[in-house]
Each structure stands twice: as structure tokens, then as C-alpha cells.
Amino acid sequence: MNTKGEAPVPLIQACDLVKAHGRNEALRGASVDVRAGEILAVTGASGSGKSTLLHCLAGIVRPDRGSVTYGGQRLDLLPEKRLSELRRTDFGVVFQFGQLIPELTAVDNVALPLLLAGTTRAAARERAGEWLERFGARGQQELRPGELSGGQAQRVALARALVTGPKAVFADEPTGALDSLAGEQVMTALAHTARDSGTAVLLITHDARTAAYADREVRLSDGATLAAEVTS
Ligand code: ADP
Ligand code: MG
């Protein structure tokens, strides 16, 4: 509730999304909304459409039907150029399989979004180092992705998604390769970011301990969101 007693307007809102991959209907009527400063967990069985939903909300994949609204504008209708600009300035994405750039060291992977936004190399590397430290990965700064464990790579991918101070973060099973201590460290940092910076976080997870950090949880089943949202 805001000072007028109204429920806050969601930063991101998806309505009745339908998306097929060939003949495979990954989404068949999924609706979610995420507010600024809120962590929304998306759970559901493997193959239920979680990653496809995240890709639609982050403007990476266009839904076949339904709408995605971000800050009052229809993302699904934006021209590609505007969309990729918005993704760069406003969104941070952690893909399910990390997708770090193999030729770059950990710190340069994290610094890359800042360099693309025009930050000087020295300042970008310094800020990247701070984010790696926050995720407990400072010691891996000069290693390349091929030299990192799955959990280390996951922390680097998270640092890269957060380094620009995005308004919305989309994280696809960001703790899947982490042990419970590292998972807690990552989720604590993510929760602080949502609270302190008002970042909207959409978090896909299989893990109940990770979902417990969320403000709300929504379940997907066969590409559709279940009507009842479960409050953690
Ligand atoms: P989840 O993340 O919940 O495991 P996904 O969104 O990855 O679910 O996938 C939902 C369904 O769509 C699955 O049946 C999956 O096999 C299918 N699918 C996802 N991506 C593709 C793709 N690029 N091409 C074909 N089928 C896909
Ligand atoms: Mg997935």
C-alpha cells in the first residue's frame, strides 16, 4: 500500500501469455506481475514453461498472444531496437546456463555491461570487483569461465546482471549450482538489492529455501499460472 492506501502499480505485468516453440505450447495462459522492490518466485515442474515466461517478461522472446507491460509501455509491441536498448539500460538477466563469455575473465565479464554503457575500463573493473566480492567470488576475479566451477560461474553471472543497477532482474534458477551456504549468500545479496534499490526481481527456482526469500510465489503448471498465488 502507498500513502494514499492504494496497492502499488506493478512495474512489470504479463497477461494471458501464450507461446509455442514449434508445435510445443510452452505457455498457455500465464499471467504474473512484479512490483518494484519485490521478489516474485516462479516455481513449477521442469518443462512447465518457467524459462519461456522469464524470456517473455525480459523482452528476449515475443509471446504469440497476450501482453507484457513494463512501466506502462507494451514490451511485446516495441520495435527490436527500442527493446534491446531497454534491456541494456533497465534489465539484468541471469540465464539458466550462465552464458558467460569464455574469452573474458570473471571481472571482465561482469564489467562488460558497464563498458557497453560507456563507463571507463578502470571504473567498470572496480565496480565489477565490488559485486564479485558481494557474491563471495572476489578470488576468482582473474579466472576465465572454463576455470570456474558451476557455482562460481553462477555468482559471476549474478554479479553481471546486477552491476548496472537495473530496475528489474530476471534470474533463472540462480542458485541451482550452489551449495546451501553460497545459495544463502547469493539470495541475501539479491534480497538487499530489491529492498535497497527498489529493484523488481523475478526469480525462477526449484528450491524451497530459495523461494523462501521471495515476497510472493506463483506456480506454473503446463504453461499456465495457477489461479491461487501462494504467499511465502
Ligand atoms: P522450464 O523452464 O519450466 O523447464 P521451458 O520454458 O524451458 O520450461 O520449456 C517449456 C516447454 O517448451 C518444454 O516442453 C520445452 O521442451 C519446450 N521448449 C522450450 N524452449 C524450446 C525451444 N527453444 N524449442 C523447442 N521447444 C522448447
Ligand atoms: Mg528452465
Side-chain angles (χ1 to χ4, degrees):
M1 294 284 163
N2 61 21
T3 48
K4 290 181 190 160
E6 300 158 337
V9 179
L11 182 64
I12 309 159
Q13 196 162 27
C15 285
D16 289 328
L17 296 183
V18 173
K19 176 69 191 177
H21 298 292
R23 293 173 59 190
N24 192 337
E25 281 202 314
L27 293 179
R28 335 172 183 212
S31 301
V32 292
D33 55 71
V34 198
R35 280 162 273 215
E38 174 185 58
I39 301 182
L40 178 74
V42 176
T43 57
S46 181
S48 59
K50 302 183 299 295
S51 293
T52 305
L53 177 65
L54 180 141
H55 295 154
C56 287
L57 284 162
I60 295 162
V61 161
R62 274 183 214 272
D64 300 332
R65 278 191 279 137
S67 62
V68 180
T69 308
Y70 168 75
Q73 58 184 330
R74 282 282 296 270
L75 268 199
D76 54 301
L77 302 178
L78 273 189
E80 190 49 45
K81 194 164 174 285
R82 292 266 316 280
L83 195 53
S84 55
E85 202 176 284
L86 191 72
R87 281 197 306 258
R88 211 172 45 237
T89 54
D90 286 31
F91 294 171
V93 181
V94 185
F95 291 99
Q96 189 167 3
F97 301 105
Q99 297 179 354
L100 298 174
I101 295 171
E103 293 82 3
L104 297 182
T105 61
V107 70
D108 285 331
N109 261 285
V110 178
L112 188 61
L114 294 172
L115 293 173
L116 294 175
T119 308
T120 64
R121 189 173 150 79
R125 280 176 57 94
E126 189 180 333
R127 186 130 40 106
E130 289 164 10
W131 274 97
L132 285 171
E133 181 153 26
R134 213 169 298 182
F135 286 122
R138 181 110 204 180
Q140 286 83 51
Q141 189 155 303
E142 298 304 332
L143 300 182
R144 291 190 165 73
E147 301 168 296
L148 300 173
S149 71
Q152 288 167 345
Q154 213 150 42
R155 294 186 234 193
V156 176
L158 267 154
R160 182 180 60 180
L162 291 169
V163 74
T164 55
K167 294 197 172 68
V169 171
F170 304 89
D172 199 344
E173 307 206 17
T175 60
L178 299 175
D179 62 39
S180 56
L181 188 65
E184 274 174 36
Q185 190 179 24
V186 159
M187 285 312 304
T188 303
L190 207 51
H192 277 149
T193 303
R195 308 287 174 267
D196 301 348
S197 318
T199 308
V201 180
L202 183 115
L203 168 78
I204 293 178
T205 184
H206 268 118
D207 177 29
R209 273 174 311 192
T210 301
Y213 282 86
D215 301 294
R216 287 186 301 135
E217 178 181 339
V218 55
R219 283 182 210 278
L220 269 185
S221 175
D222 290 334
T225 35
L226 297 180
E229 285 189 0
V230 182
T231 307
S232 63

